[in-house]
Amino acid sequence: MAYDKFQILTSSAVPLPLENVDTDQIIPARFLKATKREGFGDNLFRDWRYNGDDTPKADFVLNNPTYSGKILVAGRNFGSGSSREHAAWAIYDYGFRCVVSSFFADIFKNNSLNIGILPVQVSPEFLDKIFQAIEADANAQLVIDLPAQTITIVATGESESFDINGYKKHNMLNGFDDIDYLQSLKSDIQVFAEKSLY
Amino acid sequence: MSNAASTLFDKVWDAHVVRHIEDGPDVLFIDRHFIHEVTSPVAFLGLETRGIGVLYPERTFATADHNTPTINQHLPVEDPLSANQLRALEENTAKYGISHWGLGDPKNGIVHVVGPENGITLPGMTIVCGDSHTSTHGAFGAIAFGIGTSEVEMVLSSQCIMQPKPKKMRITINGQLGKGVVPKDVALFIISQITASGATGYFVEYAGEVFESMSMEGRMTVCNLSIEMGARGGMIAPDETTFAYLNGREKAPKGEAWEKALAYWKTLKTDEGATFDYELTYDAAQIEPQITYGTNPGLGTGITKRIPTAAEVKDGEASYKKSLNYMGFAENESIIGKKVDYVFLGSCTNGRIEDFRAFASLVKGRKKADHITAWLVPGSHIVEAQIKEEGILEILTEAGFQLRQPGCSACLAMNDDKIPAGKYAVSTSNRNFEGRQGPGSRTLLASPLVAAAAAVTGVVTDPRVLL
Ligand code: SF4
């Protein structure tokens, strides 16, 4: 599935200062029954966001108009749990393009990169600074510069660099996905398959 | 290949690298691909949008499990959305010539149960599935891990995925497990020690006497839970136990092919002197029956212990308090004696024959507590048949239990098997996340023995007092 290129993103951010936000919270299993990739954004954080009778929970951050933006900032071990790519789709479809945390679960990180969400891993100290900046000003701007691999808090000018492997970076910058690449390797793969023991 | 000592993981991984990309992932060839109804439809849609096909349909196996009812499976599925997903799987597999064990098929069951029991899973393979508990298959000395739907599409179209090579961890446990301590306890113990993210970025090899003397079912339970410590997967070197389990299984190699495979499988072990990025060692004597009290699998402890204070756990204070608040528990409380409403025996973690044997051994001659609702769900039809053949069903019936039909069931509560809000479930599954077993449900993860003890006493009980 093609996604928009990611270059430099300047945006305010939505804070979710909780640890171990798992994929069952991001999108509960009962919303995985679709056979198309549609409408997942509506059910992002469903059970934190809505009461049982579908009325919004006023104290959940997505229901607070003070906060908005294309960046989600969350506590450590974000995205643990299931391999459901629906979690990343829900985040993308809601309108986020980047998730910042001090630690990501592996599969979530992979899924995000595959669909065009940039996971930015920062130090715990820098994460605290971001939360503080948002607390001081709900509209605090962050700059995610993918070519330079840096994240900056505009108000204070504080900055940190983040890791991404060269291949994935190239893909994100250009909106490419792995399937096009793998198609180009088909003859190599067929030779490999011939020798396979299984 | 160099002569340097290498690990089991390296041997299998390196044998599957089609291409290494500088400063990027490896292109990894996948021997076996499992699919199910929930994470595959969008991948098939992607193939159609791109106008590409399935490269090796004979390497993919489909089963319906996540979204299937566990009673009256012979009737049409009532929920239209679930029915639609099941139909999509049937149509997609028919279209591309992929083997499909749908609802009602005698081979149907949970993907991680049916793969091994039919000999599809073999040592030295790379195995993936759009499900994080694919790590289960590592019990056979395979590299097996969960993938997302984009990757399902990659495997269908190219039989490869692109993965950076993970780091390696070895967890060694020597000694002998005590009475009433079973493989589930070993895994929950490790997770409680290293937290739910303690092995993130790593692939784990389990080594030592405890794993060497474990049955294949037990090894599958342990490898299954690797993902709950954050690891991509876990594996155990194949040995005589593995070979004996596989010999004669439907899709395992036969005759000369078996001999050839066997010779190769015997080389699949970590060489003396090979190094890991991280090593952990425990003693079997440290492990007692385990239970979780919080909302991630790392928040667990020995069943006789009290619930730790915020200062004693590695989770942040706010997250920990939220977790206990959700569970309706307080710091320093004893877990033993807590009232239980539901008991769930099943899932790809503990839905195998050995788990039913263990459960039955404890409830035999006792009665289900009146207020307990118990859902006993075999992992597959083959397990269900074994339960009947071995006389386990009679023991269960005698004690007041009923058997449901195979599927994932209350492990993720996508079907009707949902624990009601606020109720407590002692569950043999793998995740105690908020709402995992139904909105508002409260899950205590434990072994089949702890589940059985709760089912007959109605409260959290140390199974050792009943054995
Ligand atoms: S039993 Fe649970 S963990 Fe296992 S495959 Fe089914 S939903 Fe996933």
Side-chain angles (χ1 to χ4, degrees):
Chain A
M1 189 108 169
Y3 53 84
D4 295 337
K5 296 177 186 181
F6 193 115
Q7 306 254 337
I8 297 174
L9 174 67
T10 304
S11 171
S12 54
V14 176
L16 188 64
L18 286 173
E19 295 172 11
N20 302 315
V21 174
D22 61 69
T23 49
D24 281 74
Q25 307 320 315
I26 300 173
I27 182 111
R30 60 188 192 281
F31 299 110
L32 308 183
K33 295 189 180 186
T35 51
K36 297 196 176 82
R37 190 186 144 179
E38 276 170 10
F40 287 105
D42 296 339
N43 295 315
L44 174 65
F45 295 119
R46 181 76 202 193
D47 293 338
W48 284 349
R49 201 167 142 198
Y50 296 102
N51 294 303
D53 61 0
D54 290 345
T55 53
K57 292 185 181 175
D59 58 353
F60 186 62
V61 67
L62 291 192
N63 296 324
N64 184 343
T66 322
Y67 301 104
S68 66
K70 290 178 182 288
I71 303 169
L72 177 66
V73 186
R76 73 181 301 284
N77 198 26
F78 187 83
S80 57
S82 98
S83 63
R84 60 185 73 159
E85 197 166 296
H86 312 66
W89 297 339
I91 291 172
Y92 190 99
D93 294 349
Y94 183 85
F96 292 117
R97 287 304 311 280
C98 172
V99 183
V100 179
S101 174
S102 56
F103 198 79
F104 288 96
D106 272 337
I107 304 184
F108 177 81
K109 195 198 280 183
N110 258 318
N111 286 343
S112 297
L113 286 165
N114 281 336
I115 68 148
I117 294 172
L118 183 66
V120 171
Q121 185 164 323
V122 297
S123 65
E125 296 74 34
F126 197 76
L127 188 69
D128 283 343
K129 285 181 184 163
I130 299 174
F131 282 133
Q132 283 159 19
I134 300 173
E135 204 172 310
D137 172 14
N139 194 34
Q141 300 287 300
L142 301 177
V143 182
I144 316 283
D145 184 335
L146 179 56
Q149 292 178 225
T150 56
I151 171 169
T152 306
I153 303 168
V154 173
T156 62
E158 285 166 300
S159 184
E160 196 171 88
S161 58
F162 61 85
D163 272 348
I164 179 170
N165 74 53
Y167 169 86
K168 281 291 179 194
K169 178 176 173 180
H170 176 78
N171 276 1
M172 287 288 284
L173 288 171
N174 294 288
F176 293 162
D177 72 16
D178 290 344
I179 295 177
D180 303 324
Y181 178 79
L182 287 171
Q183 286 296 307
S184 75
L185 291 186
K186 219 171 211 171
S187 52
D188 286 20
I189 294 169
Q190 280 162 332
V191 170
F192 201 92
E194 290 286 306
K195 301 179 303 187
S196 161
L197 177 67
Y198 302 104
Chain B
M1 204 161 277
S2 74
N3 295 319
S6 60
T7 66
L8 166 63
F9 175 77
D10 284 322
K11 289 179 187 179
V12 180
W13 181 281
D14 294 348
H16 289 86
V17 175
V18 176
R19 180 177 291 193
H20 174 71
I21 300 170
E22 210 47 53
D23 192 22
D26 285 342
V27 177
L28 202 66
F29 187 81
I30 300 302
D31 294 311
R32 290 288 180 273
H33 181 208
F34 293 106
I35 58 174
H36 60 83
E37 74 276 24
V38 176
T39 56
S40 68
V42 172
F44 282 107
L45 218 56
L47 295 181
E48 262 159 53
T49 315
R50 288 172 204 263
I52 53 180
V54 175
L55 186 59
Y56 294 118
E58 69 280 10
R59 290 177 180 273
T60 294
F61 297 83
T63 182
D65 56 3
H66 280 61
N67 211 346
T68 52
T70 55
I71 45 169
N72 293 327
Q73 288 187 347
H74 60 289
L75 298 178
V77 173
E78 274 175 32
D79 174 15
L81 291 174
S82 302
N84 191 35
Q85 272 192 338
L86 295 172
R87 198 176 322 113
L89 186 67
E90 196 177 329
E91 287 170 5
N92 286 328
T93 51
K95 178 172 173 186
Y96 293 102
I98 293 168
S99 137
H100 174 229
W101 294 336
L103 202 57
D105 190 294
K107 300 261 175 59
N108 173 263
I110 305 174
V111 57
H112 311 309
V113 176
V114 302
E117 75 187 359
N118 289 287
I120 301 172
T121 300
L122 298 174
M125 281 183 165
T126 46
I127 300 173
V128 295
C129 171
D131 184 284
S132 56
H133 293 95
T134 308
S135 59
T136 311
H137 308 262
F140 292 80
I143 289 183
F145 53 88
I147 56 175
T149 299
S150 295
E151 291 166 312
V152 172
E153 191 181 337
M154 290 176 210
V155 180
L156 289 171
S157 58
S158 69
Q159 207 58 41
C160 287
I161 56 166
M162 310 193 51
Q163 289 283 314
K165 192 173 181 179
K167 290 182 286 184
K168 289 161 291 181
M169 180 188 291
R170 179 162 61 186
I171 300 178
T172 307
I173 309 184
N174 283 316
Q176 258 204 323
L177 296 175
K179 184 177 108 177
V181 181
V182 294
K184 178 69 165 284
D185 299 312
V186 175
L188 287 177
F189 169 81
I190 299 170
I191 304 166
S192 75
Q193 297 298 304
I194 69 173
T195 80
S197 60
T200 303
Y202 291 91
F203 218 95
V204 176
E205 179 178 344
Y206 300 97
E209 292 156 9
V210 163
F211 305 106
E212 284 160 18
S213 59
M214 232 177 232
S215 67
M216 286 317 294
E217 283 85 355
R219 293 179 191 183
M220 284 189 253
T221 300
V222 170
C223 288
N224 171 282
L225 289 163
S226 304
I227 183 76
E228 304 311 333
M229 54 188 94
R232 250 356 255 285
M235 63 200 305
I236 295 173
D239 59 9
E240 292 305 325
T241 306
T242 322
F243 310 143
Y245 177 96
L246 287 172
N247 199 356
R249 302 253 162 197
E250 184 183 326
K251 294 197 187 290
K254 308 265 153 40
E256 228 175 277
W258 170 263
E259 294 304 328
K260 189 176 163 213
L262 199 59
Y264 172 58
W265 295 344
K266 287 183 174 166
T267 68
L268 295 175
K269 49 175 170 262
T270 293
D271 300 328
E272 196 80 40
T275 54
F276 289 81
D277 299 288
Y278 199 71
E279 295 239 31
L280 280 169
T281 308
Y282 300 104
D283 187 334
Q286 290 172 268
I287 309 174
E288 65 167 336
Q290 304 282 306
I291 194 156
T292 67
Y293 52 82
T295 56
N296 73 61
L299 296 176
T301 184
I303 195 160
T304 59
K305 307 260 162 47
R306 52 179 182 72
I307 296 172
T309 61
E312 291 169 313
V313 296
K314 290 180 189 135
D315 292 48
E317 190 173 339
S319 301
Y320 185 60
K321 294 220 151 127
K322 182 175 188 294
S323 184
L324 288 192
N325 188 34
Y326 180 88
M327 292 299 293
F329 291 160
E331 297 169 52
N332 269 322
E333 281 181 337
S334 151
I335 312 174
I336 282 188
K338 289 268 181 210
K339 184 168 177 255
V340 177
D341 307 294
Y342 281 73
V343 166
F344 174 55
L345 174 67
S347 87
C348 59
T349 310
N350 282 127
R352 297 186 184 78
I353 188 63
E354 216 168 71
D355 305 313
F356 281 82
R357 285 183 197 139
F359 190 94
S361 74
L362 195 140
V363 303
K364 188 172 183 181
R366 298 191 167 94
K367 289 277 180 219
K368 181 181 81 62
D370 284 341
H371 71 274
I372 292 278
T373 304
W375 291 336
L376 314 188
V377 186
S380 72
H381 283 291
I382 292 181
V383 173
E384 185 185 21
Q386 252 174 308
I387 291 171
K388 291 177 181 162
E389 269 161 38
E390 295 185 11
I392 293 173
L393 183 59
E394 282 142 44
I395 298 172
L396 296 175
T397 315
E398 187 76 7
F401 296 93
Q402 285 167 345
L403 200 60
R404 296 173 81 91
Q405 289 171 299
C408 293
S409 181
C411 174
L412 90 166
M414 256 189 102
N415 65 0
D416 290 338
D417 307 345
K418 292 180 175 55
I419 310 293
K423 297 291 184 197
Y424 290 95
V426 170
S427 176
T428 65
S429 57
N430 41 61
R431 286 187 175 138
N432 50 358
F433 298 156
E434 284 184 30
R436 167 78 178 186
Q437 298 197 281
S441 61
R442 291 158 159 174
T443 301
L444 291 85
L445 298 175
S447 77
L449 284 179
V450 173
V456 294
T457 61
V459 295
V460 174
T461 303
D462 186 341
R464 291 172 295 190
V465 304
L466 300 176
L467 287 174

